[in-house]
Structures are given as C-alpha cells and as structure tokens.
Amino acid sequence: MTTTTVSQAPLAKALAGRQRYIPAIGTLSLLIAMILVGSVRYEGFFSGQIILNLFIDNAFLLVVAVGMTFVILTGGIDLSVGAVVALSAMLCAWLVEKHGWPPLVVIPLVLLIGLLSGLGMGAIIHYFDIQPFIVTLAGMFLARGLCYTISLNSISISDPVFTDLAQMQIGLPGGLFVSSSAIFAVLIVAIAFVVLHYTRLGRNVYAVGGNKQSAMLMGLPVARTTMSVYAISGFCSAFGGVLFTLYMLSGYSLHAVGLELDAIAAVVIGGTLLTGGSGFVLGTVLGVLVLGVIQTIITFQGTLSSWWTRIVVGLLLLVFIALQRVIGARQR
Amino acid sequence: MPQQQAILETRGIHKQFPGVNALTDVDFRLFPGEVHALMGENGAGKSTLIKVLTGVYQADAGTVLLGGTPVRFTGPLQAQQAGVSTVYQEVNLCPNLSVAENICIGREHRTAGLIRWGSDRQRARDLLERFQLDLDVTAPLGSCSLAVQQLVAIVRAVAVSTKVLILDEPTSSLDADEVEQLFGVIRQLRAEGVAILFVSHFIDQIYAVSDRVTVLRNGTLVCEEPIDRLPHLELVKRMIGKELEVLEQLGDAAPRRAGTADSTEAPVIAADQVGRRGSVAPFDLAIRRGEVVGLAGLLGSGRTEVARLLFGADRADAGRFTLSGKATTLRTPRAAIAGGIAFCSENRKTEGLIEDLTIRDNIILALQAARGWTRPLPARQREELVERYITALRISPPNPDMLVRNLSGGNQQRVLLARWLITQPRLLILDEPTRGIDIGAKAEIQRLVVSLSEEGMAVLFISAELEEVLRLSHRVAVLRDRKLVEERINDDDLTADAILRTIASGAHQ
C-alpha cells in the first residue's frame, strides 16, 4: 500500500498545478475530434464558415452560458435564464411593435430589467439563505408567466433597427462573414474573461465557490459577490434575449424553453465544476461550440431527427459529470 | 515579565450558556513576544475564551483589553483589523485558489482596478521567504500538504500587522517534521515580538514551544505559570483535577477487577500493528470474551481514533485485524457490525442518536439495519424488544413514543446503548459513555458494563476519567500523543497516579 502511494507522489505533484485544466483540455480534444470526424464524413463540413456559423447560431446561448458560468463558479445555479431570455425578447417585440418605443430605449431598459431581476434573486438567495435552485425556479415561473400576460401570440418585429442589426454581415477575409450578434457574444466573453481573472470581483467569485465559510473568515465580501453573480447572470440573460430577438425577429412566450438546461450543459461540458470554485469562461465557449457541432453534424447527417442532439448532449453530460467526480476524488 | 504591559488581557470574564457556566471570572494575560499555551480538557472553556477574545462571542461580564485599552470586537474580522488574528484547526482558506492568491486575496495590488498578478506573487514569495518556506506560489493550495496549508494560513494572518496570533490546535493533524516547521515559524514570530496564544493537546509540544501556560478547568482559571515551573505531571493533574464528590458517591459501585480472561480462546478482536497516518500510530490491541479493556489518555491523544479504526469508521492504512481468529479487513462500519462490533460514539447527538425519532425507532434502528429493509421486524417482536430494554436499562420516561431530543443526557446514552445491545454484539465499544450525564446515571452505566462483561461481552471502555477506567477495566491501555504507549493488567500496582505519569511522560522504561 505504502509503496504505491510513494510511486504516485511525483506524478501527482506534476499534475497538481495543472489538474484544473484537464476538463477544458478534454472538451477541446472532443471538439477537435468531432470536427475531424464531421470533415471526414461529410463533404463541405470543414470550412471556416461552418466554424463561424457556430458562433452566429449560438451567440445568445454563448452569452447566457457566460452568465451561468459566474453563477456555477460560486456553486450556485440559475434556472431562470431561459425564461428571462423569452421575457426580454417579448418585451423588445411588444414595446417596439405595439407601443412604438424606440429600440435604443427598449434595449437598455430590457438589460436593466434582467440585471435587477438577477440582483433581486441573488439578494433573496444570500440574505434568506435559500437554495438558489428554488429561488431561480420561482424566477423562472415568474418571468415565463409575465410573457403570457404580455401576449399569448407571437409578435413579429419589423422595426428597421432590429432587422438591420439582424441582417448585418461583417465580412472577413476569404469571403467569410459573421453576424453582429456573434461579435457581441465574443465581446461579452472577452469582458467576462478579464473580470474573472483580473478583478477582485472575479477572484472573489472563485473564493466563494471554493469555500464560502473561508471566504467569509478571510474578510471577503461574500454577500456582494453572491448578489453580483446573479445580477451578472440576469444581465447576460437579458443580453442573450436581445440577441435571441435579433435571431428570431419575434417575441413569443414559448421561445427559449429549456435554454437554461442547454446553458448549464454547456458550462458543465466546458469543465466548470458544479460544486463551484473551478472552471474557465473559455471552457464554457468550448462547451457551447461542442453543443453547436453536435447540432451541425446531425443536420449534415440529414436522416436523424433533431432530438438526437438532446440524446448526445445527455450522454456527454453524464461523461463529463463522471469525469468531474474522478478528478475531484483524486484531489481529495 | 509581569512588569511589562500585557498586549491582550481579560479581566473577570464571565460567559454563560443555557445551563452551563462556560467561563467564570477568568483573568487572562498575554504578553508581547511570548508563546502562551492554553490548556484544559474538553469543556474546560478554551474555545469559549478564544471566541470571547476574537469577538465571536460577547462576554456576559468583564472586559477584554488590547494594549491596555478596553475593546469590544463585534467579530473576527474586526479583531483581525485591530491586530488579533486567529488560525483555526481547519484551514480556513480556499483550496481551489493558488498559494499566492490565498495570501493576497482581498488586498491585491491593482492598477486601474485590474489585479497585478506579478506583483502579488512576488509579495507572497517574499512573505514565505521570511519564514524560510520554499513554495510554488502558483500551485493551488489544495495540492499542498495540510501542514503547508496551515503555514500559509499563518502567513496570511501575519501579512497584515499582527500583534496577537491565536493558533487553535494547529498541530492536530501534522506529523513530527511538519510540527517542527510550524514551530520554526512560531519562534520567529515570537522573536519579532508577536504574542502567540497556542492551543494544543500535545503535552510535549507545549513544553517544546511555550514560555508560559494557563490552565482552565470547568470554566475557571486554575493557574498561570511559566512552563519551566510546572512539571509534566503537575500540569496533567491540574488539567484533569479530581471530582471528589463523584468519587465518593461511586466508591462502591463496582469492585476493582484485576485479572485477565481465558487466554486460550482467540480474542474477539485483535489488532496487529493497525494504524492510520495522521490519526494513530500503529498499535497492537486484543480484547477477549468477557473482558473490559480501558483506554486512558487525554483529549486528542487518539482515544476516539482507536475506536473508529476498530469500528471501520476510519479505514486503517496499516496492519491487520483478526475477528475471533479470522483475519479480516474492517473497511466499513457495515463490515464491523456484521462482525459483531457495536460502537457508541462520544458524540451522542451528531453520530449516534436521531433526535427527531422516538425512543422506539432509535432503539430498533441498528437491528433493522442489520436485517435489511426487505425484512421488517414484526411489530409484536419490536414492541417486546423495546419494552424489555426500556425496562432493563431503566430508560425514563418508559414511553417508547417519546422523542429522543426531549430526554436527559443519561437517558439518551441508555437509548444509544439499547440500540447496540439488541443487536447482541460480541464487542461493545463505548466512547465516553458517561460524559455529561449525572452521577446516578453514571453509576448505572458502569454497573451495566460490568454485568455485560460478566455475560461474556467484550468491552472497550474509553473515558477521560481515570478512576472510572480503573474501576471497570481488566486491562488498561494508555494513549499519549496518538501512540499507544502502555498496556497493563489492572492489578493493585496500577493507580491513577501511575497512569497520569505515563500520560505525562511516556511509557515506563
């Protein structure tokens, strides 16, 4: 017994500093492998535009997942994001189309509503010490319910600001292009990266996720951090909602049903531990891309129903959660 | 030294909790540049005093003075800002962050709101260097040994200008080299004029590093002495004291029981060089049918750890077990229960009883668990058993529907005993079964132990009270600093004094 522990020690030591990168590296390898397989099997799969399309088609999911990353890093969860996306899209459509409000007023307003709803949920979670699961579940019902009170039917958008933004294509060298929403999403990712790694708020997020009790005893602002991550998630959901509006050009109560689960899946597949304290926003980007590639492959396959996406995502989630356990066990 | 101004002082501190006087009129003084040991058995009031000093609790009466001026800390954070830092037994840092971050977080160097990592790492490196610690500051703290984590916690505490450093059992899970490293840091801080309050259960460590010692017992200050004027034996005596009343009342509860059981039969349990790193050094122990083996030692000497190993609650990483002659591995409590071992934990409330269940449910629990949920105990048999044990153990009130949380400590202990007795174990491990219960109940539990052993049950009896151990045991094993240092037959030569001497100074040569 003792001999094995001794022989493992140097290996464990060498791995020790880098262990937290393993899940993200796993996701990256998976992404590359899937792209390779797709390229070999389907003609026209391997092109720059296909990669860019991943960003274009999943821009809103990416933004929502970035917000979710903050929450999960503290060890929490936010189930309200899908409903907040739907509510934001609904508000955009309703205020602009039915009330004629200018989009440049509506969009900041929607973002503010998302931020405040997140802040409110964060405050309830922290000060009443209630599980985030329950509080954000309530938030989810609330936001989804509000959608129905606004309109039972889909409201389509014909406002020129929205349609122009939606159809805007930014050309890249080599005949490639991206949409405005993809640019916004990448911008959000970059900001999130800087916040998480170079600001006190970001480091406090990791500290709270690592050990909330310790963070408190170390004199870190746990209350402010907890509320901030839900506020950030609320803001990102609203932002994702605006991007979603650009994508769909309509508001509808049944938009983005189950999006919260896609976002959580992307974060987990991206290597962030559900227990908090470990993970990277770039991992989340990889997670979103993996989900996108699965979708693309199934589209290319042609014969498979789109529900296969769900099945594959489910299996992947199981694998990644098991992987987290294994790594966690080794650390202990 | 007394002419000097005390840096931290308490005058006439009283602290009361419902039903207990946790601290009574405590005058405590801590001087700059000294290492001051705070000693006392369980419930003596050590942790209450520390919590009063750091503002976790407010004293009911009396004052805390910092540098001669009265202070009233509202919490550890405020105390820390005033220069009183505490490092707890459990490392209160974030294992997922790097060493450098754990030292600097909350006070990072920043430019335009962005953290300057390079500068922070350098600061952490400089601080660690000050204490001759060579660490990779970018490694996550969780990858470091517990000792290093403990040291990092100290470094974080002294990174701000600290006048008083309180170390609450910092060494309880460290090995000898690591303790020496920690002591190096402590000595250096002392040389720099920091006042250090050191709590530990390890007598040798106290003598190795402390200048003065304060002993608490039952919430009162027993003495405050320079360590070199207080020999080991005297220190232990002052910590344990003697509850004279208890002795008188229990004088004839049971006769002294020298001699050993039949040695031809294989022991019920035999541990051969069983140990666990960071818990107990490898030990040999055999318990035979009808024999009571007492475990003596101070709090933290490894008494409970031995019990947990024998019950499979902790997995041994060395050695072999033999149950009635058959070699076995006790990997889980389930395996131990299947082997006929029962364990009454010292933490009745957290590790034993389920307070929100009735007496009946608590008693039936272990037996039902052994049968499995597919074979529920027939109602009639269940009532019969519960009835029988409520009567036999004189649980009062004798109402099986009573919730256990509403019982007195002694009755709770009896319920716990009943639970294990109905599984008819061959070995019963009792960890502090008489702690915190009144004298009458104590005597009854002692009588019960005697009659159980007469019926052939093997008993491992753990108690902080030496008189009790001496009265009940056939043999006594003494633990000291997590080592089993001596095992003796309980004959007329073995006295409480002799055991005290062993506890204080190690085995007789």
Side-chain angles (χ1 to χ4, degrees), chain B residues 143-337:
Chain B
S143 70
C144 303
S145 72
L146 212 54
V148 169
Q149 296 189 23
Q150 195 77 258
L151 291 169
V152 170
I154 293 176
V155 169
R156 177 179 170 84
V158 299
V160 284
S161 62
T162 292
K163 291 175 248 171
V164 176
L165 180 63
I166 299 174
L167 301 171
D168 190 359
E169 291 195 48
T171 57
S172 49
S173 39
L174 308 188
D175 67 28
D177 289 345
E178 294 168 336
V179 167
E180 213 26 71
Q181 200 176 9
L182 176 74
F183 283 1
V185 171
I186 291 180
R187 290 194 187 101
Q188 188 180 341
L189 285 170
R190 169 173 64 188
E192 290 171 15
V194 176
I196 295 156
L197 179 61
F198 182 66
V199 179
S200 169
H201 294 298
F202 299 100
I203 304 259
D204 286 346
Q205 293 179 2
I206 295 295
Y207 279 92
V209 78
S210 314
D211 302 309
R212 291 194 312 133
V213 57
T214 290
V215 178
L216 292 176
R217 191 170 71 228
N218 294 333
T220 53
L221 195 142
V222 176
C223 67
E224 179 191 340
E225 298 261 15
I227 194 89
D228 44 13
R229 271 195 243 146
L230 195 68
H232 286 48
L233 184 58
E234 195 56 33
L235 174 63
V236 174
K237 270 186 180 164
R238 289 194 188 177
M239 284 167 62
I240 294 180
K242 279 182 186 163
E243 293 172 310
L244 280 173
E245 277 173 86
V246 178
L247 285 182
E248 279 162 19
Q249 292 201 23
L250 293 180
D252 50 8
R256 176 171 263 241
R257 301 147 47 75
T260 49
D262 180 10
S263 58
T264 52
E265 200 179 341
V268 173
I269 188 167
D272 179 15
Q273 287 301 302
V274 168
R276 179 178 160 90
R277 215 178 103 78
S279 169
V280 198
F283 64 91
D284 290 331
L285 189 68
I287 309 174
R288 294 172 194 283
R289 245 176 70 82
E291 189 179 40
V292 180
V293 173
L295 270 190
L298 292 176
L299 179 69
S301 61
R303 298 181 311 219
T304 300
E305 285 77 0
V306 167
R308 289 178 63 88
L309 283 177
L310 294 181
F311 189 59
D314 291 329
R315 198 190 286 193
D317 55 18
R320 285 197 315 270
F321 289 105
T322 323
L323 284 185
S324 304
K326 267 185 288 184
T328 177
T329 51
L330 289 173
R331 277 163 187 277
T332 58
R334 234 183 127 72
I337 293 170

Side-chain angles (χ1 to χ4, degrees), chain A residues 1 16-17 20 194 197-200 203-204 206-211 213-220 276-278 331, chain B residues 76-77 80 88 91-97 101-102 105-108 110 113-115 117 138-140 142-143 156 317:
Chain A
M1 275 273 236
R20 61 207 154 118
V194 172
H197 293 281
Y198 290 96
T199 65
R200 281 198 180 164
R203 301 324 293 171
N204 291 345
Y206 280 92
V208 169
N211 189 334
Q213 194 63 32
S214 293
M216 215 174 290
L217 285 171
M218 287 160 94
L220 303 178
S278 175
Q331 271 171 349
Chain B
L77 196 61
Q80 200 181 321
Y88 300 93
V91 180
N92 280 303
L93 295 176
C94 294
N96 59 325
L97 301 183
E101 246 193 306
N102 269 296
I105 195 165
R107 34 186 191 246
E108 301 98 336
R110 293 182 298 175
L114 297 186
I115 294 168
W117 283 104
T138 59
S143 70
R156 177 179 170 84
D317 55 18

Side-chain angles (χ1 to χ4, degrees), chain A:
Chain A
M1 275 273 236
T2 41
T3 49
T4 47
T5 36
V6 167
S7 66
Q8 271 172 2
L11 179 69
K13 215 166 205 171
L15 274 173
R18 281 146 205 86
Q19 208 146 45
R20 61 207 154 118
Y21 298 113
I22 292 177
I25 292 169
T27 311
L28 183 63
S29 327
L30 178 72
L31 183 65
I32 292 170
M34 286 200 310
I35 291 176
L36 285 181
V37 168
S39 311
V40 171
R41 289 199 56 179
Y42 310 109
E43 208 168 313
F45 187 94
F46 190 78
S47 72
Q49 194 56 47
I50 290 283
I51 304 291
L52 290 177
N53 283 348
L54 290 177
F55 282 95
I56 294 169
D57 293 335
N58 295 293
F60 59 94
L61 177 62
L62 186 53
V63 172
V64 171
V66 165
M68 186 70 82
T69 308
F70 277 80
V71 173
I72 292 183
L73 275 176
T74 64
I77 198 98
D78 187 351
L79 296 182
S80 70
V81 294
V84 173
V85 164
L87 179 63
S88 304
M90 198 71 180
L91 278 174
C92 283
W94 184 56
L95 290 175
V96 170
E97 293 299 317
K98 305 279 176 185
H99 294 268
W101 289 27
L104 290 180
V105 173
V106 172
I107 291 174
L109 179 72
V110 162
L111 295 181
L112 186 69
I113 291 173
L115 182 89
L116 291 179
S117 73
L119 191 67
M121 287 190 287
I124 293 172
I125 288 165
H126 182 79
Y127 288 109
F128 296 95
D129 196 17
I130 302 174
Q131 277 142 342
F133 184 92
I134 293 298
V135 176
T136 57
L137 186 68
M140 170 178 131
F141 282 122
L142 190 72
R144 187 68 73 181
L146 281 174
C147 290
Y148 288 103
T149 64
I150 293 171
S151 168
L152 291 176
N153 303 314
S154 175
I155 305 172
S156 57
I157 296 177
S158 51
D159 182 274
V161 176
F162 275 101
T163 48
D164 286 356
L165 263 178
Q167 282 153 15
M168 187 193 288
Q169 291 192 345
I170 295 112
L172 293 177
L176 305 173
F177 69 91
V178 290
S179 67
S180 57
S181 48
I183 302 271
F184 283 128
V186 171
L187 208 61
I188 290 279
V189 168
I191 293 170
F193 179 82
V194 172
V195 168
L196 275 178
H197 293 281
Y198 290 96
T199 65
R200 281 198 180 164
L201 171 65
R203 301 324 293 171
N204 291 345
V205 167
Y206 280 92
V208 169
N211 189 334
K212 193 168 151 190
Q213 194 63 32
S214 293
M216 215 174 290
L217 285 171
M218 287 160 94
L220 303 178
V222 174
R224 201 167 68 205
T225 308
T226 307
M227 287 191 287
S228 297
V229 294
Y230 288 96
I232 288 169
S233 178
F235 175 84
C236 284
S237 308
F239 200 100
V242 172
L243 298 187
F244 192 76
T245 316
L246 295 179
Y247 193 67
M248 306 297 279
L249 281 178
S250 69
Y252 183 39
S253 332
L254 286 176
H255 272 337
V257 170
L259 183 71
E260 60 277 352
L261 304 181
D262 286 333
I264 294 169
V267 173
V268 171
I269 290 175
T272 302
L273 294 190
L274 277 170
T275 46
S278 175
F280 305 98
V281 73
L282 294 182
T284 299
V285 175
L286 295 176
V288 170
L289 293 182
V290 165
L291 296 191
V293 169
I294 294 170
Q295 189 97 54
T296 310
I297 287 180
I298 282 162
T299 314
F300 267 82
Q301 172 70 29
T303 57
L304 286 174
S305 140
S306 71
W307 285 106
W308 277 95
T309 318
R310 301 260 150 184
I311 293 169
V312 178
V313 170
L315 287 175
L316 270 184
L317 260 184
L318 284 180
V319 169
F320 273 81
I321 289 171
L323 184 73
Q324 290 189 357
R325 269 284 156 206
V326 172
I327 291 170
R330 234 188 319 172
Q331 271 171 349
R332 235 170 282 129

